[in-house]
Amino acid sequence: MSIYFPGLGLEINPPSTFELFGLTIHLYGLIIAAGLVLAAVYGMRRAPRFGLTEDHILDGVLWVTPFAIVCARLYYCVFEWQRYAANPLSILYIWEGGLAIYGGVIGAAIGIVVYCRVRHLKIGAVMDVVSLGFLIGQAIGRWGNFFNREAHGGVTDSFLRMGIMDPVTGEYTFYHPTFLYESVWNAAGFVLLHFLSKKRKYDGQIALGYLAWYGFGRMIIEGMRTDSLWWGPFRVSQVLAGLTFVAGAAALIVLHFRPHDPENLFVNQMESRKQS
């Protein structure tokens, strides 16, 4: 099915899968993996600025990824239970699709807490660097939706409208490219928080910035989508995004007016230990 952006003068027909050595490779999974790898590489390079090491990041990825995948699947299945009620074992058929980013973020947060407890690391410092990785992964990962022709918004005639061809009629229907909106929003948030992270006043500041930034953008964009998960009359992810935006923004405002001793930053604590 061709994809047409008349406002940009682009018409393409990207594949959603390709064959390699007899295996069917789904571009969605490949793009998600690429986002994870780039997020990990970024985290390894920035780790010392947060009092961490490259090994902390690599070990953390191995700890956190299973939590993220399991929770991303459970989040989706809970709110799409009618698909799985007849055969609950089909919840395990993750290769058939059905993952929710917010569930993945929640699972990753749980995994980080467990990992920090085991490795005796400061949760706020780890959350700061990981939240920047989240934005990288989410900005890249959303393009998997593009190749799958999914996660778009309602019908529109806006400049950025995305036309998806009906393979039967050959006609286009034009939608909001919400995957693109969210990808750009996350990329802009990454750039902003990357530079702000160099002037952190306390551990957890960038993580709160992530909650506020991503929450606000997702709250708006989720309202445009046609494939939202619902809980009664509410779009689940939109409500959650609104709550995280309010919580993150409120915490940032309150903590802005409190004094912060630079010595309490985990990176400075680790530096003091090396010198003592």
Side-chain angles (χ1 to χ4, degrees), residues 17-224:
T17 63
F18 64 91
E19 297 292 326
L20 182 65
F21 303 121
L23 298 175
T24 299
I25 307 298
H26 292 262
L27 281 169
Y28 181 91
L30 198 62
I31 290 171
I32 294 294
L36 176 61
V37 169
L38 289 176
V41 170
Y42 171 83
M44 290 167 61
R45 297 197 59 164
R46 293 294 314 284
R49 295 292 295 268
F50 296 85
L52 305 169
T53 67
E54 290 187 358
D55 285 343
H56 286 143
I57 301 300
L58 286 175
D59 290 347
V61 169
L62 296 177
W63 270 82
V64 169
T65 300
F67 282 91
I69 293 174
V70 170
C71 287
R73 180 62 170 172
L74 289 177
Y75 185 103
Y76 180 85
C77 292
V78 165
F79 295 107
E80 284 288 314
W81 183 244
Q82 68 275 10
R83 296 189 180 189
Y84 306 98
N87 180 21
L89 282 178
S90 62
I91 292 175
L92 302 177
Y93 304 163
I94 194 171
W95 55 87
E96 294 182 355
L99 298 173
I101 285 181
Y102 248 127
V105 172
I106 293 170
I110 294 171
I112 290 168
V113 170
V114 174
Y115 175 65
C116 289
R117 295 295 185 188
V118 172
R119 294 295 300 271
H120 305 291
L121 301 173
K122 197 170 183 179
I123 295 175
V126 176
M127 286 288 193
D128 279 346
V129 68
V130 170
S131 63
L132 290 165
F134 281 164
L135 288 170
I136 293 174
Q138 289 171 306
I140 295 172
R142 274 301 176 198
W143 284 90
N145 300 132
F146 168 73
F147 286 97
N148 277 359
R149 283 82 165 166
E150 62 186 9
H152 56 70
V155 175
T156 183
D157 59 356
S158 69
F159 174 76
L160 287 175
R161 63 191 182 278
M162 174 182 69
I164 299 180
M165 179 185 288
D166 185 318
V168 177
T169 65
E171 297 181 353
Y172 286 100
T173 301
F174 293 94
Y175 304 99
H176 278 290
T178 47
F179 81 90
L180 176 61
Y181 300 162
E182 190 170 331
S183 179
V184 172
W185 180 258
N186 290 334
F190 166 74
V191 172
L192 174 65
L193 293 179
H194 167 79
F195 288 106
L196 289 178
S197 70
K198 298 178 180 181
K199 299 181 180 180
R200 289 182 310 136
K201 296 185 181 300
Y202 55 91
D203 291 317
Q205 185 176 13
I206 302 306
L208 291 174
Y210 166 80
L211 290 178
W213 181 271
Y214 180 68
F216 181 78
R218 182 64 184 270
M219 177 180 63
I220 302 301
I221 296 169
E222 187 69 24
M224 302 179 187

